[in-house]
Amino acid sequence: MYAFPAVLTIDHEDNDAVLVSFPDLDNCFADGNDFADALEEAREALGNVLYWMEKDGQPIPEPSDIRTIEAHNDSIKTLVAVDMIEFRKAWDTRSVNRTVTLPAWLDEMAKKEQVNFSQALQQALKNKLGIDQSHTPQMV
């Protein structure tokens, strides 16, 4: 779980959109139509940036103390939190291709029975690894 300070600023020149910046993360920005929308977009942006920093092996900076962050005029400061375990899980449910080898007779029988190979392999792997089927997203 990470919580980074963010600065929310009303952009009067853009229909009062709310802009979000993260002082500790140079490449992390978001915006929204209102504060609630901007905060949800900020959480998503923060999760994406931290996820790719992890994947690229970049060190994640220590979040600043929010009391040291400055907010001017139409700006407010707040903390934006993201649960990286849940965020990683969401990213890692994307599908990947794997080449598998199986006997021709098994391939023919499975085709005849209209077996969904991807689904069958996923279920077999989950069973083999002892993963609870009810707590994992279904991927087909």
Side-chain angles (χ1 to χ4, degrees):
M1 180 70 104
Y2 287 102
F4 275 85
V7 177
L8 287 72
T9 305
I10 298 173
D11 185 353
H12 295 293
E13 295 178 12
D14 187 15
N15 296 323
D16 290 340
V18 179
L19 309 176
V20 184
S21 63
F22 291 87
D24 296 320
L25 301 164
D26 294 335
N27 59 345
C28 192
F29 301 95
D31 63 17
N33 296 324
D34 54 35
F35 284 105
D37 185 37
L39 284 171
E40 180 57 31
E41 293 296 325
R43 190 194 66 73
E44 188 77 15
L46 179 61
N48 282 329
V49 167
L50 296 177
Y51 176 82
W52 286 106
M53 288 177 76
E54 288 177 351
K55 290 293 258 186
D56 292 342
Q58 296 177 14
I60 294 176
E62 193 69 30
S64 296
D65 183 330
I66 194 167
R67 294 171 293 190
T68 66
I69 304 297
E70 291 185 29
H72 304 285
N73 300 331
D74 286 340
S75 297
I76 61 170
K77 55 187 179 177
T78 189
L79 289 174
V80 176
V82 64
D83 180 345
M84 289 306 293
I85 293 171
E86 290 302 315
F87 210 88
R88 282 185 217 103
K89 202 181 291 184
W91 263 100
D92 290 339
T93 58
R94 69 196 187 288
S95 295
V96 295
N97 289 324
R98 291 287 177 250
T99 302
V100 297
T101 304
L102 59 147
W105 63 267
L106 186 57
D107 181 55
E108 289 301 318
M109 286 181 71
K111 284 180 184 176
K112 187 176 181 180
E113 294 296 318
Q114 299 179 341
V115 171
N116 179 320
F117 284 85
S118 294
Q119 191 174 40
L121 177 59
Q122 289 175 44
Q123 187 165 2
L125 285 170
K126 288 176 184 177
N127 288 341
K128 179 77 172 176
L129 297 171
I131 296 171
D132 183 356
Q133 301 287 330
S134 66
H135 292 95
T136 59
Q138 295 297 315
M139 297 181 290
V140 181

